[in-house]
Amino acid sequence: MAILDSKGRLFGKINLLDLGAGLVTLLVIFVISSSLLSSLGVAQVGEKIVPIEVDLVVRGLNVRDPEQLFNNGLKKGGKTNVIIRNQPYGEIEIKSIQQLPRTVNVFQPDGTVKELADPKTNNFSTDLILTLEGKAQRTESGLVLGSSKVKIGMPFELEGFNYNFNATVIDIRFEK
């Protein structure tokens, strides 16, 4: 039995053109799926998934009653939705939340400055420090949450049941 017959079939069963078309189709499927997986943030060879903690500062959040936020999910052990550079990341756990006291600078007669508690009662502005924890890819150029790099100074948008506000990254800790 010949390897190729007169009709161009391999071993009399498989047409060479059909075999070539099938191999090209498999190659296209492989390339598309690998590029799709890399764009979804699946770890690449040489990248390591590490636990991280991200500290965020919220300045001047206008809210009448901050306790209302804390009672509806913005609390230690809760979860919040994170949007980084207009790219939704998903839910991430809140490790801690700290409400900063409102203060004013008061100049003293001797020229020094003292920081004292703000006496205003109608101030509906609050400052917070939040610590979020999750898992990120560690690459040569930094840490990546989802498909966005995380760097100090970046804005995060936090969204929950009754809130949507921006915060700024002030610290990142990760396992080396």
Side-chain angles (χ1 to χ4, degrees):
M1 174 183 237
I3 294 177
L4 283 176
D5 65 5
S6 62
K7 294 183 181 179
R9 292 182 295 198
L10 192 60
F11 301 113
K13 297 193 185 256
I14 302 171
N15 188 333
L16 283 179
L17 291 176
D18 292 341
L19 180 65
L23 290 175
V24 168
T25 303
L26 287 174
L27 180 65
V28 168
I29 290 172
F30 174 74
V31 169
I32 290 173
S33 64
S34 65
S35 67
L36 181 63
L37 289 176
S38 69
S39 69
L40 290 175
V42 176
Q44 303 296 314
V45 175
E47 294 179 353
K48 184 178 179 186
I49 303 293
V50 295
I52 65 165
E53 292 181 357
V54 179
D55 287 341
L56 305 170
V57 66
V58 180
R59 290 279 184 198
L61 178 62
N62 293 319
V63 59
R64 176 178 291 212
D65 181 16
E67 291 300 319
Q68 180 184 11
L69 287 175
F70 306 143
N71 293 335
N72 286 309
L74 189 67
K75 59 185 171 187
K76 179 180 178 178
K79 292 189 180 256
T80 187
N81 289 312
V82 175
I83 301 166
I84 307 167
R85 293 186 181 168
N86 294 326
Q87 299 294 321
Y89 168 70
E91 281 192 334
I92 193 166
E93 188 172 335
I94 301 170
K95 182 175 181 182
S96 68
I97 185 165
Q98 175 187 0
Q99 188 172 0
L100 300 175
R102 298 293 296 177
T103 59
V104 292
N105 292 330
V106 178
F107 294 94
Q108 302 299 305
D110 63 357
T112 61
V113 178
K114 283 189 179 178
E115 189 175 7
L116 301 174
D118 191 353
K120 291 187 262 176
T121 57
N122 63 351
N123 189 355
F124 301 115
S125 179
T126 188
D127 297 335
L128 305 169
I129 292 182
L130 291 106
T131 301
L132 306 178
E133 64 180 353
K135 298 202 179 290
Q137 295 175 30
R138 184 173 176 220
T139 65
E140 291 180 10
S141 61
L143 296 167
V144 178
L145 273 176
S147 60
S148 300
K149 290 182 183 174
V150 178
K151 308 264 183 182
I152 293 174
M154 285 184 54
F156 271 38
E157 184 178 342
L158 303 177
E159 182 178 2
F161 176 74
N162 63 342
Y163 61 88
N164 184 319
F165 56 85
N166 291 326
T168 304
V169 176
I170 57 171
D171 192 18
I172 304 168
R173 293 177 298 284
F174 63 96
E175 185 180 285
K176 295 182 181 184

